[in-house]
């Protein structure tokens, strides 16, 4: 037994907090993994010791934004240097280290706990930096091993990507970043469809994705094991089945690799967990490879070390694919990452401790719980040909991480069960006595979908010709077939939880001419990609999606449950009508919309940014001469404030910055959320640190105060000290439909939000 103080460490606050007597010991777990021999000889004690240690915190810098290098520079040259000088209880703090295998030093880990972070003002500043930058989407706090699958997918901007079990969304965020690797392309050709079966978790996913402000992400709510096939318009004017270039299949698992952070797993772990999940994992993986394009990659991953959930699933896929799938050799793709090759021999144990080496030993009364696919293939030649050693298993004690398993599958040809029965779907629809197609796995695992429309070029075209859209919408297969497809005739339930509809505007919609004229939009601005969330009433927010996502949405509205998509680019401002346009620019969509804007742009300097972000409605004369003259030439209303780096000087950020603003009668304002203000100030060398003395009696430690004031200490270049009052106002809209009126803010600008809380921030600066 381990003493209680070793059980719930302070840094384990969060998941597991309140479970005061959970003991980090499970004899069945130790017996099972010791017998399997997955851990190298002589390392088992080290492995178990590592499993009982708290997991180090890891952060990842958002890679696609052009200022990722600025954030990295700020971290390395300011916060990390300061941390090295800090001593807590007579011991120096271990400086954060980059993950050796993550490209460009964009991921770091540290052993500092939350308790330690609060023991020193310097560390508290670092903590506030992390919290603020995380909320702004510039940093993601993500477990190290969780970063591996997206890296192995080899994402390119034109790829169509499906994340099958996406919530809570840290891997999804990585996929979006990789899609936007080139910030000069506002609309990459590809997209990410992020799915999760749990409706509530989908909203966590939306929150993660929204931080990245991408027009190329869609969140959907489906059972991954029968996620519907989608159609898209083909270049020749017909319809094609959508096949994905990349699929992330991070399946539900027993999670024994997460014991370092999810301490509840210690008492709940049993071998039965993997036996119950094995069938679901196969069904999800099969559905994934069916929707994968020939030549595409699917990454299968779990946070479990158990071969029943790992190699057994991969071996089943490879065996039933008859050569259509192969494991990719990824040994050289992440230099610096320590991992063990997959195993080709394993056995199974029940929770009572009974071992079985192969299917022939399993008694008949266990056949409903234990399946043949849980054991290694018996054909030695076939087993060797699978090359299961190409799978990767990451053990916690090798690089101080969680436990993880990952395998990369490449699709060489269409799946064989579709090639054998190219007309099966048609026959099932037309005959009431049709028999279900032979499942690609054993019959006790029903519900496996057909590979819709696959079969090479001939298969796609042939099926499209045979099945009418009406038949497809009515339900792809008869119930007797027990094969999953799009949900039949549930139009009233597709938008559950009062989800507002997604309505695309037409190119001749009357909302566009004033916007085009006011901002002098380029003729190639994709108006047909703009959507709103209401059929009736005034359009309050305008969103935009990429061309390919629009294609997907228009062709699949009846078979897809879309939770969220697009990025907000414009918001209605009733007072703006008197200035020529009823819509102001939205900061979250400015990087997408800016390439099309040709007027109402003010070029600003570093000093101008400092004024705009630390003063509330400064007079135009507060700007430097160049910006002041430009501002005087522009009428009242929404504007873009743009900073361009000087390539001949190393002073100031070395990346462009676009801020939304408002040109008043005699003043000017940056219309930027609080955390983004702090982010840009840090990029300019301005230190921002909140004084917690301003917190009210009802505010928990670490939370920002609402409807009150807090003091923020600002240091410019380490010398000039400015005390900034931050007044945080929380305005929550009761009615979320776009057609309703917004909330009146102090600037007379009407605004509102959909399902989100709107934070309006006033920043007033006074010299001290």
């Amino acid at each position: 037994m381990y003493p209680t103080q070793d059980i719930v460490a302070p840094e384990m606050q969060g998941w597991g907090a309140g479970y005061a007597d959970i003991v980090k010991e499970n004899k069945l777990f130790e017996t099972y993994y010791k017998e399997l021999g997955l851990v190298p000889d002589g390392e088992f004690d080290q492995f178990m010791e590592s499993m009982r240690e708290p997991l180090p915190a890891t952060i990842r810098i958002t890679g696609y934004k052009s200022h990722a290098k600025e954030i990295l520079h700020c971290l390395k040259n300011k916060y990390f240097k300061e941390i090295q000088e800090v001593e807590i209880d007579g011991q120096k703090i271990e400086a954060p280290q980059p993950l050796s295998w993550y490209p460009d030093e964009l991921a770091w880990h540290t052993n500092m706990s939350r308790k330690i972070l609060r023991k020193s003002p310097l560390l508290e500043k670092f903590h506030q930096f992390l919290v603020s930058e995380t909320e702004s989407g510039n940093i993601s706090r993500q477990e190290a091993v969780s970063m591996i699958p997206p890296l192995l997918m080899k994402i390119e901007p034109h790829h169509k990507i499906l994340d099958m079990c996406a919530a809570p969304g840290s891997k999804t965020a990585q996929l979006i970043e990789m899609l936007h690797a080139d910030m000069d392309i506002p609309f990459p050709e590809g997209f990410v469809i992020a799915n999760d079966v749990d409706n509530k978790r989908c909203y966590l996913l939306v929150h993660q994705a929204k931080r990245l402000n991408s027009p190329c992400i869609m969140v959907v709510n489906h059972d991954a094991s029968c996620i519907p096939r989608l159609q898209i318009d083909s270049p020749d004017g017909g319809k094609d089945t959508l096949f994905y270039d990349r699929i992330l299949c991070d399946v539900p698992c027993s999670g024994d690799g997460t014991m370092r952070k999810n301490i509840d797993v210690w008492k709940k772990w049993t071998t039965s967990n993997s036996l119950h999940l094995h069938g679901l994992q196969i069904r999800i993986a099969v559905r994934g490879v069916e929707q994968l394009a020939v030549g595409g990659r699917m990454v299968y991953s779990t946070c479990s070390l158990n071969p029943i959930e790992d190699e057994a699933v991969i071996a089943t896929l490879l065996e039933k694919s008859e050569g259509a799938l192969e494991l990719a050799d990824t040994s050289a793709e992440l230099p610096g990452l320590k991992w063990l090759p997959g195993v080709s021999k394993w056995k199974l144990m029940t929770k009572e401790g009974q071992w079985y080496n192969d299917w022939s030993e399993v008694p008949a009364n266990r056949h409903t719980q234990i399946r043949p696919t849980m054991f290694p293939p018996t054909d030695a030649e076939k087993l060797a040909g699978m090359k299961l050693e190409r799978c990767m298993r990451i053990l916690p004690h090798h690089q101080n991480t969680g436990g993880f398993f990952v395998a990369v599958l490449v699709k060489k040809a269409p799946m064989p069960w579709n090639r054998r029965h190219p007309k099966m779907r048609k026959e099932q629809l037309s005959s009431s006595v049709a028999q279900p197609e032979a499942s690609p796995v054993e019959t006790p695992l029903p519900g496996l979908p057909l590979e819709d429309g696959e079969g090479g070029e001939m298969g796609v075209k042939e099926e499209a010709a045979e099945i009418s859209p009406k038949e497809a919408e009515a339900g792809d297969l008869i119930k007797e077939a027990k094969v999953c497809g799009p949900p039949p005739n549930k139009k009233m339930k597709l938008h559950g939880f009062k989800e507002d509809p997604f309505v695309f505007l037409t190119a001749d919609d009357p909302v566009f001419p004033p916007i085009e004229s006011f901002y002098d939009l380029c003729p190639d601005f994709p108006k047909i990609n703009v959507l709103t969330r209401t059929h009736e009433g005034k359009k309050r927010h305008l969103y935009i999606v990429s061309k390919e996502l629009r294609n997907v949405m228009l062709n699949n509205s009846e078979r897809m449950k879309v939770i969220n998509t697009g990025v907000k680019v414009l918001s209605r401002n009733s007072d703006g009508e008197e200035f020529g346009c009823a819509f102001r620019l939205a900061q979250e969509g400015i990087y997408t919309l800016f390439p099309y804007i040709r007027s109402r742009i003010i070029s600003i300097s570093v000093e101008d940014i400092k004024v705009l972000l630390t003063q509330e409605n400064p007079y135009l004369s507060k700007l430097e001469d160049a910006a002041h003259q430009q501002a005087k030439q522009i009428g009242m209303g929404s504007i873009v404030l743009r900073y361009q780096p000087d390539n001949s000087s190393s002073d100031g950020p070395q990346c462009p910055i676009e801020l939304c603003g408002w040109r008043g009668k005699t003043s000017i304002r940056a219309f930027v959320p609080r955390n983004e203000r702090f982010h840009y100030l840090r990029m300019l060398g301005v230190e921002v640190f909140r004084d917690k003395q301003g917190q009210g009696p009802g505010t928990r430690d670490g939370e920002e105060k609402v409807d009150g004031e807090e003091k923020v200490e600002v240091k410019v270049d380490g010398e000039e000290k400015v005390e900034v009052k931050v007044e945080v106002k929380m305005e929550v809209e009761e009615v979320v439909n776009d057609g309703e009126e917004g909330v009146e803010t102090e600037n007379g600008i009407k605004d509102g939000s959909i399902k989100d809380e709107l934070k309006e921030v006033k920043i007033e600066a006074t010299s001290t």
Side-chain angles (χ1 to χ4, degrees):
M1 298 285 288
Y2 290 85
T4 304
Q5 59 264 34
D6 290 337
I7 296 165
V8 183
E11 53 269 29
M12 299 304 291
Q13 297 295 328
W15 208 136
Y19 294 83
D21 297 320
I22 294 178
V23 178
K24 294 184 179 180
E25 185 173 300
N26 188 309
K27 291 299 182 185
L28 188 67
F29 176 86
E30 292 191 46
T31 302
Y32 182 69
Y33 280 108
K34 190 175 288 186
E35 181 68 21
L36 283 182
L38 298 178
V39 181
D41 293 341
E43 296 183 17
F44 195 81
D45 289 344
Q46 187 183 353
F47 163 73
M48 290 303 301
E49 184 180 341
S50 178
M51 291 290 274
R52 295 184 179 104
E53 290 294 321
L55 190 68
T58 48
I59 61 172
R60 179 174 50 78
I61 298 171
T62 300
Y64 82 90
K65 290 189 175 179
S66 56
H67 46 246
K69 290 181 180 178
E70 299 292 328
I71 300 171
L72 179 60
H73 177 80
C74 184
L75 272 172
K76 291 173 68 175
N77 293 281
K78 178 175 175 51
Y79 293 100
F80 291 168
K81 277 188 176 181
E82 291 178 349
I83 287 171
Q84 291 174 4
E85 307 302 321
V86 175
E87 286 190 8
I88 301 291
D89 299 331
Q91 291 187 341
K92 276 201 169 186
I93 295 296
E94 182 181 338
Q97 299 294 323
L99 295 179
S100 60
W101 44 268
Y102 202 97
D104 303 322
E105 290 191 334
L106 290 178
W108 294 71
H109 72 96
T110 172
N111 288 324
M112 290 182 292
S113 68
R114 294 182 183 180
K115 186 176 181 180
I116 290 176
L117 282 171
R118 291 187 171 92
K119 279 192 173 184
S120 162
L122 278 175
L123 294 183
E124 174 60 23
K125 289 182 181 182
F126 176 53
H127 180 247
Q128 287 191 16
F129 168 82
L130 293 181
V131 171
S132 178
E133 294 296 323
T134 298
E135 291 179 17
S136 297
N138 302 303
I139 282 178
S140 292
R141 286 177 284 183
Q142 180 181 358
E143 189 177 346
V145 290
S146 172
M147 304 176 191
I148 296 171
L151 292 177
L152 294 175
M153 292 175 74
K154 293 188 172 181
I155 302 295
E156 296 180 17
H158 65 276
H159 282 157
K160 299 173 178 64
I161 306 162
L162 172 65
D163 190 350
M164 300 188 75
C165 308
S170 56
K171 298 182 188 71
T172 308
Q174 254 183 296
L175 299 176
I176 298 171
E177 292 169 24
M178 294 172 178
L179 201 64
H180 286 272
D182 186 352
M183 275 295 286
D184 292 331
I185 305 175
F187 292 105
E189 291 182 28
F191 57 76
V192 177
I193 294 180
N195 173 70
D196 202 84
V197 67
D198 189 304
N199 187 270
K200 291 180 181 178
R201 282 167 62 87
C202 281
Y203 288 98
L204 292 176
L205 194 55
V206 169
H207 175 73
Q208 277 274 39
K210 273 194 155 187
R211 297 181 309 127
L212 300 178
N213 301 327
S214 169
C216 304
I217 171 71
M218 178 192 294
V219 176
V220 298
N221 180 203
H222 290 281
D223 180 349
S225 66
C226 51
I227 190 168
R229 70 183 177 100
L230 303 180
Q231 287 186 330
I232 52 175
D233 292 330
S234 62
D236 60 8
K239 302 289 183 186
D240 281 339
T241 299
L242 172 61
F243 291 106
Y244 300 94
D245 302 295
R246 297 289 186 270
I247 293 180
L248 177 55
C249 186
D250 187 53
V251 295
C253 65
S254 61
D256 55 27
T258 70
M259 283 178 162
R260 299 184 67 177
K261 65 174 182 178
N262 294 344
I263 57 175
D264 203 30
V265 177
W266 281 96
K267 72 172 184 179
K268 291 185 176 180
W269 187 91
T270 172
T271 53
S272 297
N273 297 344
S274 59
L275 305 183
H276 294 153
L277 287 164
H278 175 79
L280 173 64
Q281 290 163 341
I282 289 180
R283 289 195 295 273
I284 293 175
V286 166
R287 190 56 173 163
V289 295
E290 286 179 341
Q291 300 217 17
L292 185 65
V294 173
R297 275 191 169 206
M298 185 178 90
V299 173
Y300 176 89
S301 62
T302 74
C303 47
S304 168
L305 302 174
N306 199 329
I308 307 301
E309 304 176 61
D310 299 339
E311 284 93 344
V313 175
I314 297 299
T316 301
L317 282 175
L318 293 171
E319 185 173 13
K320 304 306 177 184
S321 75
E322 299 178 5
L325 299 173
E326 73 173 21
L327 278 168
D329 182 0
T330 57
S331 57
E333 292 187 15
L334 292 179
L337 177 66
K338 294 180 181 178
W339 53 276
L340 295 178
V343 296
S344 55
K345 291 183 180 179
W346 63 89
K347 50 187 177 179
L348 184 150
M349 184 176 73
T350 65
K351 64 180 178 180
E352 295 81 17
Q354 175 67 46
W355 287 94
Y356 299 110
N357 290 288
D358 59 59
W359 173 247
S360 63
E361 298 178 4
V362 182
N365 64 348
R366 294 273 193 179
H367 282 188
T368 55
Q369 182 187 21
I370 301 173
R371 303 300 310 137
T373 53
M374 297 177 182
F375 296 94
T378 54
D379 187 326
E381 185 178 347
K382 182 182 291 186
L383 183 60
M386 291 181 178
K387 300 179 180 177
L388 291 177
E389 67 276 5
R390 291 183 174 178
C391 299
M392 307 168 73
R393 180 174 279 102
I394 293 94
L395 298 183
H397 64 290
H398 284 164
Q399 285 181 303
N400 197 13
T401 65
F404 209 69
F405 174 88
V406 61
V408 181
L409 292 158
V410 177
K411 189 169 182 177
K412 312 298 287 186
M415 304 312 292
W417 52 89
N418 181 253
R419 293 200 302 268
R420 285 195 294 266
H421 305 281
K423 299 183 181 181
M424 191 65 186
R425 291 169 60 85
K426 174 71 172 181
E427 293 164 3
Q428 286 174 324
L429 284 166
S430 60
S431 172
S432 61
V433 294
Q435 297 298 314
E437 179 185 7
S439 172
V441 293
E442 299 298 325
T443 52
L445 295 172
L448 282 167
L450 290 174
E451 184 160 5
D452 307 304
E454 189 171 343
E457 294 181 6
M458 182 182 71
V460 175
K461 300 294 183 184
E462 185 177 25
E463 187 190 44
E466 289 177 343
I467 301 179
S468 70
K470 192 172 183 179
E471 287 175 316
E473 285 182 14
D476 284 28
L477 297 169
I478 58 172
K479 292 181 180 179
E480 288 80 5
K482 294 183 180 179
V483 181
C484 291
N489 296 330
K490 290 187 180 180
K491 296 180 181 180
M492 298 305 293
K493 295 183 179 181
L494 272 178
H495 296 288
F497 291 92
K498 297 182 180 179
E499 271 299 324
D500 300 320
F502 294 85
V503 184
F504 281 96
L505 306 186
T506 58
D508 58 355
D509 192 292
V511 77
F512 284 125
I515 295 173
E516 291 177 289
S517 173
F518 193 71
Y519 299 106
D520 190 18
L521 297 184
C522 296
D524 60 345
F525 173 66
K527 291 185 284 186
I528 59 172
N529 291 11
V530 176
L531 59 88
T532 186
R533 297 295 301 272
T534 180
H535 281 291
E536 301 173 355
K538 285 185 177 181
K539 304 173 180 68
R540 192 170 49 187
H541 297 303
L542 300 183
Y543 304 83
I544 198 164
V545 296
S546 64
K547 175 184 175 183
E548 289 303 322
L549 267 189
R550 178 181 183 273
N551 188 350
V552 170
M553 293 182 72
L554 290 179
N555 282 289
N556 302 280
S557 60
E558 296 301 320
R559 66 186 73 205
M560 234 180 10
K561 184 176 178 182
V562 179
I563 300 298
N564 200 279
T565 190
V567 61
K568 182 166 67 175
V569 289
L570 293 157
S571 289
R572 179 173 290 278
N573 163 32
S574 299
D575 288 352
E577 291 186 31
E578 63 183 276
F579 308 132
C581 182
F583 286 88
R584 68 167 178 84
L585 301 169
Q587 181 65 30
E588 51 261 63
I590 191 61
Y591 285 96
T592 300
L593 188 59
F594 179 76
Y596 302 100
I597 298 175
R598 297 185 295 189
S599 73
R600 304 195 63 79
I601 301 169
I602 298 176
S603 298
I604 55 176
S605 66
V606 168
E607 294 305 315
D608 291 331
I609 299 178
K610 291 177 182 178
V611 168
L612 289 162
L613 297 184
T614 59
Q615 297 186 30
E616 173 67 10
N617 291 332
Y619 288 113
L620 296 177
S621 57
K622 290 286 188 75
L623 299 177
E624 293 191 336
D625 289 344
H628 185 199
Q629 292 302 317
Q630 292 177 55
K632 288 198 297 185
Q633 303 301 316
I634 295 177
M636 295 174 65
S638 188
I639 54 173
V640 180
L641 301 158
R642 189 171 201 234
Y643 164 79
Q644 275 281 72
D646 183 355
N647 295 328
S648 62
S649 172
S650 59
D651 295 335
Q654 297 302 299
C655 61
I657 295 173
E658 280 100 40
L659 307 176
C660 290
W662 186 266
R663 202 296 205 182
K665 189 173 183 181
T666 59
S667 64
I668 194 164
R669 180 191 178 182
F671 212 79
V672 180
R674 183 185 68 101
N675 281 314
E676 285 198 53
R677 285 178 179 247
F678 292 171
H679 162 70
Y680 289 119
L681 285 170
R682 291 189 189 100
M683 286 177 62
L684 302 177
V686 179
E687 182 178 331
V688 182
F689 182 54
R690 289 185 299 163
D691 178 7
K692 292 195 172 183
Q693 292 178 356
Q695 292 181 339
T699 306
R700 293 197 303 266
D701 187 30
E703 285 190 351
E704 62 196 50
K705 190 173 184 300
V706 176
D707 288 335
E709 286 188 353
E710 66 178 297
K711 293 180 180 178
V712 177
E713 179 184 299
V714 177
K715 289 183 180 179
V716 182
D717 299 328
E719 297 177 1
E720 179 186 351
K721 184 177 179 182
V722 180
E723 186 181 276
V724 180
K725 292 179 184 176
V726 179
E727 182 182 326
V728 184
K729 281 200 167 190
M730 183 72 71
E731 296 168 344
V732 183
E733 183 186 11
E734 293 182 358
V735 183
V736 298
N737 289 325
D738 265 347
E740 302 296 330
E741 285 300 317
V743 179
E744 186 83 23
T745 67
E746 298 207 1
N747 268 20
I749 298 175
K750 288 187 177 179
D751 209 342
S753 65
I754 298 176
K755 294 190 185 304
D756 287 328
E757 294 170 334
L758 174 68
K759 297 179 183 178
E760 280 295 333
V761 180
K762 280 178 57 178
I763 295 188
E764 299 175 358
T766 55
S767 298
T768 61

